[in-house]
Amino acid sequence: SGLEEYHKKKAVSHLRENLQYMTSGRCVADKAVTQQILTQNRGRKSKDRPPEKKAKKKPEGTVFTEEDFRKFEREYFG
């Protein structure tokens, strides 16, 4: 009698049914939607956000060479 009462009140594991239910549905969310959800969950604090990637600036080169500059100096300044 005590054993029967124990089996009646024992917690039943629904793990197998739950796993089968979860794996049966093949609805996959769009990457844009998941990315939006992830960015919203990061929070507003700066420590929660990933560092922004900065575009590297290319060094600006001149069109004129040294020889062209000397020629301009001779023509302009005499």
Side-chain angles (χ1 to χ4, degrees), residues 14-27:
H14 298 284
L15 177 67
R16 187 173 306 275
E17 295 93 18
N18 289 342
L19 283 175
Q20 190 167 3
Y21 174 76
M22 293 293 228
T23 56
S24 66
R26 292 290 173 191
C27 180

Side-chain angles (χ1 to χ4, degrees), residues 18-76:
N18 289 342
L19 283 175
Q20 190 167 3
Y21 174 76
M22 293 293 228
T23 56
S24 66
R26 292 290 173 191
C27 180
V28 179
D30 189 24
K31 279 198 174 224
V33 174
T34 56
Q35 193 63 34
Q36 182 182 9
I37 292 169
L38 287 174
T39 54
Q40 287 175 350
N41 284 340
R42 278 198 191 109
R44 295 185 180 195
K45 295 180 183 176
S46 63
K47 68 175 185 175
D48 294 336
R49 295 186 183 180
E52 295 179 6
K53 296 179 182 178
K54 297 179 182 176
K56 295 182 180 177
K57 293 183 180 179
K58 295 180 181 178
E60 295 181 12
T62 61
V63 181
F64 300 105
T65 62
E66 280 292 322
E67 188 177 313
D68 291 337
F69 185 68
R70 288 192 183 121
K71 184 179 176 185
F72 171 74
E73 278 184 329
R74 276 187 254 127
E75 288 176 1
Y76 189 74

